[in-house]
């Protein structure tokens, strides 16, 4: 197999058990689907939520979309660091992404509740 | 020691790629349906159609990737060299682009609603 991308992963260590590599890949894809859900929720709020308080709805919408947009690069670097750790047989890196997304969902939800109450 | 079934994990991974493609596909169909009306122009159907093309590309890419994985495992066993991070990187970049488009769409919609 010709040199794989990225170099900072595949120049290190040796091939891990295929199960771990494939599980890592599925985890990355799950983050991508989560990011798509955030983006879709943000667009839906703006396009379909006309009866809500406009500024609060826009804030919730942009928050969801912006965090959803930032997620794919973070997810990919998380995939890369995990793959490198698997190759070097080191402990897997921590993943703060989940906490960020959970916090975002909570804040967006609170903004939405306010947008409904203050319409 | 390892009860590794090479037929199971690669299939699960291909299904994960397919689920991701379907998520983009459904969003794209909704975009084709909703954006032109919400934004007031039939040209706004184009992002959704682009998304449908991306969906098809991902679906086919998933198949290709699965075949490469299955072949590698069949020849080299469970420590085979599997496909790397190029396709995931492209997917991440495209979804980021979708998000950037979404920001622009929301801002454009908000501006036109207040204007």
């Amino acid at each position: 197999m010709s040199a794989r991308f990225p170099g900072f992963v595949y120049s290190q260590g040796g091939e891990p058990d295929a199960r771990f590599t494939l599980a890592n890949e599925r985890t990355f894809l799950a983050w991508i689907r989560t990011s798509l859900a955030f983006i879709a929720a943000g667009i839906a709020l703006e396009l379909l939520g006309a009866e809500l308080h406009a500024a609060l709805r826009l804030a919730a919408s942009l928050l969801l979309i912006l965090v959803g947009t930032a997620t794919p690069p973070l997810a990919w670097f998380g995939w890369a660091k995990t793959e490198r750790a698997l190759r070097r047989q080191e402990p897997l890196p921590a993943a703060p992404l989940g906490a960020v997304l959970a916090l975002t969902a909570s804040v967006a939800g609170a903004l939405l509740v306010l947008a409904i109450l203050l319409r | 020691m390892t009860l590794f079934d090479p037929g199971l994990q690669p299939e699960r991974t291909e299904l994960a790629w397919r689920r991701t493609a379907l998520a983009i596909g459904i969003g794209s169909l909704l975009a084709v349906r909703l954006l032109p009306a919400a934004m007031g122009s039939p040209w706004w159907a184009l992002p959704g159609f682009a998304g449908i093309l991306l969906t098809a590309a991902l679906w086919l890419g998933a198949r290709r990737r699965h075949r490469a994985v299955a072949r590698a495992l069949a020849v080299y066993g469970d420590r085979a060299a599997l496909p790397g991070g190029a396709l995931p990187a492209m997917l991440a970049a495209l979804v980021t682009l979708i998000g950037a488009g979404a920001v622009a769409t929301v801002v454009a919609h908000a501006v036109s609603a207040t204007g």
Side-chain angles (χ1 to χ4, degrees):
Chain A
M1 185 172 277
S2 56
R4 285 172 289 176
F5 175 79
F8 71 86
V9 169
Y10 292 102
S11 61
Q12 309 276 316
E15 300 307 320
D17 188 318
R19 285 176 301 172
F20 302 145
T21 293
L22 293 173
N24 188 20
E25 188 165 313
R26 289 196 300 277
T27 304
F28 163 76
L29 292 171
W31 284 121
I32 294 291
R33 289 195 299 280
T34 307
S35 132
L36 288 166
F38 270 64
I39 294 171
I43 297 189
L45 253 183
E46 175 61 25
L47 295 186
L48 303 174
E51 66 283 357
L52 302 175
H53 184 284
L56 288 169
R57 183 194 75 210
L58 181 61
S61 166
L62 285 175
L63 177 63
L64 288 168
I65 296 177
L66 287 170
V67 172
T69 304
T71 296
L74 294 171
W76 187 84
F77 279 106
W79 169 87
K81 287 193 289 190
T82 298
E83 195 66 25
R84 187 178 58 188
L86 287 172
R87 295 181 68 85
R88 303 205 286 212
Q89 299 190 299
E90 291 172 349
L92 299 184
L97 199 46
V100 170
L101 288 169
L103 184 62
T104 303
S106 298
V107 172
L111 286 171
L112 197 47
V113 168
L114 282 176
I116 294 172
L117 293 176
L118 294 177
R119 85 201 114 106
Chain B
M1 183 205 68
T2 42
L3 297 172
F4 178 57
D5 180 348
L8 211 54
Q9 291 265 336
E11 189 176 355
R12 284 180 64 192
T13 309
E14 188 188 6
L15 289 173
W17 279 100
R18 286 184 177 178
R19 280 203 299 284
T20 311
L22 284 174
I24 295 175
I26 292 174
S28 301
L29 289 174
L30 284 170
V32 169
R33 177 91 177 71
L34 296 173
L35 280 181
M39 306 301 292
S41 161
W43 289 108
W44 276 94
L46 287 177
F49 283 125
I52 291 171
L53 288 177
L54 174 60
T55 302
L58 269 178
W59 191 273
L60 294 172
R63 254 195 108 27
R64 233 175 119 236
R65 197 172 181 84
H66 175 249
R67 276 202 297 260
V69 169
R71 219 179 303 130
L73 291 173
V75 174
Y76 297 103
D78 58 2
R79 294 260 167 178
L82 298 183
L87 188 62
M90 286 190 275
L91 175 61
L94 286 167
V95 175
T96 304
L97 225 65
I98 290 173
V103 172
T105 303
V106 164
V107 169
H109 184 264
V111 164
S112 72
T114 55

